[in-house]
């Protein structure tokens, strides 16, 4: 991590030294995101057999083999600094917030609970349960972009790539009898890359539109699984690990009956990749050239 500050410093100095700041572009957009790969997308809940009935529980693949991700939304902003007077080569700085499972409603059913009845015997009873799940990433980074026909000042395709620094956070909630909620949260920082392509439409000297697609490889570096007994994935945990590296970890969330027994499970190496289709507004920070008024001739 100590090298990151030097990377940012080098990028800043390069931008200041060579950018054409009279042609800086600020891009603000929104997009639809879709997870790719069987280690990112999936379903976090499932029906589990319990005696003669079926209950709603957490799928045993969740966090072990995939993250149960589905379609979501992306909100982003980007600054583009031109490296030449024709605006063909550009440096980029960006920040984005991505939220998955946006359109998936909460799920309701029953779950088993172990009790000791009036006869001092163990028994299992059913209680109503409601699950909800969100998975977010806050990303920022820098990169390079090429716009080969930007000199026309009308329509131009662009292609780029960025290094991305991603803070991932997942939150799974369980509510019994619609009264009180217990939450499992897990989060981690990862480094990845993204590839961006689109087309710009310049409406006037101040404003334009872009349509584009982007593909993120969100956790190329720093994959890890925390396998300590104190790192168990369980209800009420607020600082769980992403567990995207190959290994083992402890968990209590996969049984048809709520339990505090920590079971050791195997974690698959998991990639968090997603694609984005977006529309954006471009704001051109054109600095008007100063003109010197000539004195009238006598």
């Amino acid at each position: 991590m100590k090298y990151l500050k030097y990377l940012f410093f080098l990028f800043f100095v390069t931008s200041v030294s060579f950018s054409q700041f009279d042609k800086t572009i600020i891009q603000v957009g929104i997009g639809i995101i879709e997870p790719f790969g069987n280690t990112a997308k999936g379903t976090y809940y499932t029906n589990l057999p319990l005696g003669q009935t079926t209950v709603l529980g957490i799928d045993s693949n969740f966090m072990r083999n995939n993250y149960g991700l589905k379609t979501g939304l992306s909100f982003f902003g980007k600054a583009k600094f031109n490296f030449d007077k024709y605006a063909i080569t550009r440096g980029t700085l960006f920040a984005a917030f991505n939220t998955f499972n946006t359109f998936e409603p909460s799920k309701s059913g029953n779950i088993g609970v172990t009790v000791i009845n009036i006869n001092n015997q163990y028994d299992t009873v059913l209680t109503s349960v409601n699950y909800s799940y969100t998975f977010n990433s806050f990303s920022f980074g820098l990169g390079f972009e090429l716009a080969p026909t930007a000199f026309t000042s009308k329509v131009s395709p662009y292609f780029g790539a960025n290094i991305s620094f991603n803070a991932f956070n997942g939150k799974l909630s369980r509510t019994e009898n619609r009264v009180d909620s217990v939450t499992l949260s897990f989060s981690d920082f990862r480094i990845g890359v993204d590839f961006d392509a689109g087309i710009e439409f310049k409406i006037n000297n101040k404003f334009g539109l872009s349509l584009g697609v982007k593909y993120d490889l969100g956790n190329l570096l720093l994959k890890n699984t925390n396998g300590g007994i104190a790192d168990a994935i369980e209800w009420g945990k607020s600082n769980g690990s992403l567990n995207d590296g190959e290994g083992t970890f402890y968990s209590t969330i996969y049984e048809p009956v709520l339990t505090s027994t920590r079971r050791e499970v195997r974690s698959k190496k998991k990639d968090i990749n997603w694609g984005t289709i977006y529309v954006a507004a471009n704001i051109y920070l054109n600095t008007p050239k100063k003109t010197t008024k000539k004195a009238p001739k006598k």
Side-chain angles (χ1 to χ4, degrees):
M1 296 298 294
K2 67 179 181 179
Y3 298 106
L4 295 181
K5 61 182 180 180
Y6 298 114
L7 181 62
F8 278 110
F9 178 77
L10 177 61
F11 182 84
F12 177 76
V13 171
T14 304
S15 298
V16 171
S17 300
F18 299 104
S19 296
Q20 304 294 313
F21 284 103
D22 61 329
K23 295 181 180 179
T24 299
I25 302 172
I26 301 297
Q27 187 178 71
V28 180
I30 183 172
I32 299 291
I33 56 176
E34 183 69 25
F36 283 93
N38 57 14
T39 61
K41 63 182 179 181
T43 302
Y44 71 91
Y45 58 90
T46 189
N47 291 316
L48 299 170
L50 180 60
Q52 301 299 315
T53 188
T54 299
V55 296
L56 182 68
I58 303 303
D59 193 288
S60 61
N61 289 306
F62 177 67
M63 292 195 71
R64 295 174 61 203
N65 299 322
N66 66 66
Y67 290 106
L69 302 186
K70 296 187 183 300
T71 306
L73 294 174
S74 176
F75 307 89
F76 68 91
K78 180 180 288 187
K80 305 183 180 185
F81 306 101
N82 297 303
F83 286 163
D84 62 85
K85 65 180 181 180
Y86 299 109
I88 293 175
T89 54
R90 306 163 174 172
T92 60
L93 293 173
F94 79 91
F97 177 73
N98 305 299
T99 178
F100 293 86
N101 298 64
T102 306
F103 308 104
E104 183 174 54
S106 60
K107 301 298 177 182
S108 298
N110 293 313
I111 191 71
V113 178
T114 300
V115 299
I116 299 177
N117 62 26
I118 196 67
N119 298 317
N120 205 33
Q121 297 174 329
Y122 283 95
D123 195 7
T124 300
V125 298
L126 297 180
T127 182
S128 64
V129 67
N130 180 275
Y131 297 108
S132 63
Y133 173 55
T134 59
F135 188 92
N136 306 320
S137 74
F138 175 75
S139 306
F140 65 95
L142 52 87
F144 181 80
E145 187 174 280
L146 182 66
T149 61
F151 62 89
T152 64
S153 297
K154 295 296 181 183
V155 178
S156 176
Y158 57 89
F159 315 91
N162 301 278
I163 298 174
S164 60
F165 305 94
N166 305 302
F168 292 106
N169 174 264
K171 182 179 179 180
L172 177 65
S173 296
R174 186 192 87 230
T175 304
E176 293 180 43
N177 293 320
R178 300 180 295 278
V179 176
D180 195 14
S181 295
V182 181
T183 299
L184 161 64
S185 296
F186 53 95
S187 60
D188 266 313
F189 175 80
R190 300 290 185 261
I191 299 176
V193 298
D194 69 65
F195 303 95
D196 192 10
I199 187 168
E200 296 174 344
F201 306 89
K202 191 169 184 178
I203 297 175
N204 53 46
N205 289 334
K206 295 294 183 182
F207 184 76
L209 295 173
S210 291
L211 296 175
V213 294
K214 189 162 70 80
Y215 190 77
D216 280 82
L217 305 171
N219 63 333
L220 285 180
L221 300 179
L222 305 182
K223 285 187 178 75
N224 180 56
T225 286
N226 290 341
I229 190 67
D231 300 310
I233 298 299
E234 57 190 350
W235 296 111
K237 178 80 72 173
S238 60
N239 60 344
S241 172
L242 197 60
N243 289 343
D244 53 351
E246 186 175 2
T248 60
F249 65 89
Y250 291 93
S251 177
T252 67
I253 67 173
Y254 302 120
E255 303 298 329
V257 178
L258 296 179
T259 178
S260 60
T261 301
R262 296 175 176 180
R263 181 188 296 272
E264 189 176 25
V265 297
R266 184 163 298 280
S267 174
K268 179 181 178 181
K269 181 180 178 180
K270 296 177 286 294
D271 297 321
I272 307 175
N273 303 334
W274 68 93
T276 308
I277 300 175
Y278 65 84
V279 59
N282 292 342
I283 301 171
Y284 299 95
L285 304 182
N286 297 319
T287 304
K289 295 181 179 180
K290 295 182 180 180
T291 57
T292 303
K293 293 184 179 180
K294 295 182 179 181
K297 295 181 179 181
K298 295 182 178 180

